[in-house]
Amino acid sequence: MDPVRIDVTTPSRAYAVTLGDGAIDRLARVLDALRLPEQRFIVSSPLVWRLHGQRLARLTGGTEPILVPDGERFKNLQTVSRVYEALIRANADRASTLVTFGGGVVGDMAGFAAATYLRGIALVHVPTTLLAQVDSAIGGKVGVNHALGKNLIGAFYQPHAVIVDPSVLATLPRREFRAGLYEVIKYGMTSSPSLFDRIARESTAIFGKDPRALTEVIAESCRIKAGVVSADEQEAGPRRILNFGHTAGHALEAVTKYRRYRHGEAVAYGMLVAAELASGRGALADLDRKALADLIASLGPLPPVADLAKADILDAMKHDKKMIAGRLHFVLPTAIGATAIVDDVTEKEMKEALIRVGFKK
Ligand SMILES: NC(=O)c1ccc[n+]([C@@H]2O[C@H](COP(=O)([O-])OP(=O)(O)OC[C@H]3O[C@@H](n4cnc5c(N)ncnc54)[C@H](O)[C@@H]3O)[C@@H](O)[C@H]2O)c1
Ligand SMILES: [Zn+2]
């Protein structure tokens, strides 16, 4: 299979996503062709490096990778500081390239280090989770958490290249894989009925990590993300549709202190809440709401929500970054592949939707 190339064109940088089985084995050639600085550093996690590091080892001419822990609780400025320290000790100058090799946590954190070290060095993302391949590696959002909230510190810093190799997903735990698939469903539901249908139709091949089926859904997801980011780099307008499922989703993550759900799982619930809301006000046909609920259910069970009080979820939503001038901007599905952004969702509607999804009264 020839690699697929997807272009991202933003005001701050134009770059390509190169996607295909074996793409990481050609990484050195891609970086050379882009004339990226030859002093190269890889930031990865011990686990990802142990599983797949040998495929990248040639890239740096023997320089040791910078290994950092990649749990959500390590996504903070202390870990970024360890990356800075390693770069300084290795005399990394402006003419350096930082390659991130890991999931969304490593990409966001090391991307932030690249954005800020010497006011910015070349950055290449090589994402190794499904979520990072279809979502976080594209679009330039980098950053870390603060003790008082998630992703509160960050920047927009587009990479110079993104290399997506589905073959690394062979080692990804099933739960992580499913968590990424919910974001793929998000793309289908907001932007592409054909992607939505494909996930349902080919779920066996996708879960079996069949290279063709997997490459197709990743490519379509990357195309959607690339298109949205190219139209709206800093999320002033169209990019906001990708927040579908994320308002209630983020609240769910915050209320459970980021421990119970994988991000994608919380987004799955968030999409269900948004769909209940939309069908409750007649904006979404019940058939479409049910198709979404069925597709989510078909991937397997989600961790429970029945013990979580809806009042706590509502409270957490009020602290959301999507509040603009005191009003919550909410992405509602209006059909499979279409959305509307509204700012008039009432507490009563939200409570009813949460109850219908199964939260505690
Ligand atoms: N920048 C953005 O636009 C954006 C978008 C969505 C999410 N995010 C961020 O992404 C993060 C979540 O990313 P994630 O879901 O990739 O989680 P993650 O980075 O924590 O990775 C999940 C787990 O998978 C392991 N792993 C990674 N690759 C593997 C592989 N190939 N085989 C086996 N194990 C592997 C990791 O070690 C980790 O334990 C969150 O911090 C979220 O805020 C950012
Ligand atoms: Zn997300």
Side-chain angles (χ1 to χ4, degrees), residues 135 183 186 246 263 267:
D135 191 355
E183 296 274 9
K186 175 192 78 178
H246 283 63
H263 171 72
V267 170

Side-chain angles (χ1 to χ4, degrees), residues 197-268:
D197 291 342
R198 186 188 282 277
I199 305 163
R201 205 174 55 235
E202 300 196 353
S203 69
T204 310
I206 295 168
F207 272 114
K209 293 173 185 161
D210 169 69
R212 190 200 54 78
L214 202 50
T215 302
E216 292 278 350
V217 292
I218 295 172
E220 189 54 20
S221 301
C222 291
R223 274 187 210 106
I224 294 169
K225 175 104 193 222
V228 171
V229 166
S230 299
D232 175 19
E233 181 178 16
Q234 303 214 350
E235 207 171 301
R239 189 168 178 175
R240 286 188 291 164
I241 67 168
L242 298 185
N243 289 327
F244 172 53
H246 283 63
T247 309
H250 282 155
L252 203 50
E253 288 184 276
V255 163
T256 54
K257 306 210 158 35
Y258 302 94
R259 297 213 179 101
R260 185 185 298 186
Y261 307 101
R262 298 299 303 141
H263 171 72
E265 294 169 343
V267 170

Side-chain angles (χ1 to χ4, degrees), residues 140-170:
K141 280 194 194 174
V142 294
V144 294
N145 303 329
H146 186 275
L148 298 178
K150 197 177 139 133
N151 292 337
L152 291 182
I153 299 155
F156 283 100
Y157 192 71
Q158 302 295 340
H160 291 72
V162 180
I163 313 295
V164 175
D165 189 334
S167 71
V168 298
L169 302 180

Side-chain angles (χ1 to χ4, degrees), residues 59-92:
L59 194 69
T60 53
T63 309
E64 288 294 308
I66 302 168
L67 298 183
V68 292
D70 65 354
E72 192 67 40
R73 66 181 192 287
F74 296 108
K75 187 181 165 183
N76 55 38
L77 287 173
Q78 282 94 298
T79 313
V80 172
S81 202
R82 286 175 52 180
V83 177
Y84 294 145
E85 193 177 320
L87 292 171
I88 296 164
R89 286 189 191 284
N91 298 316

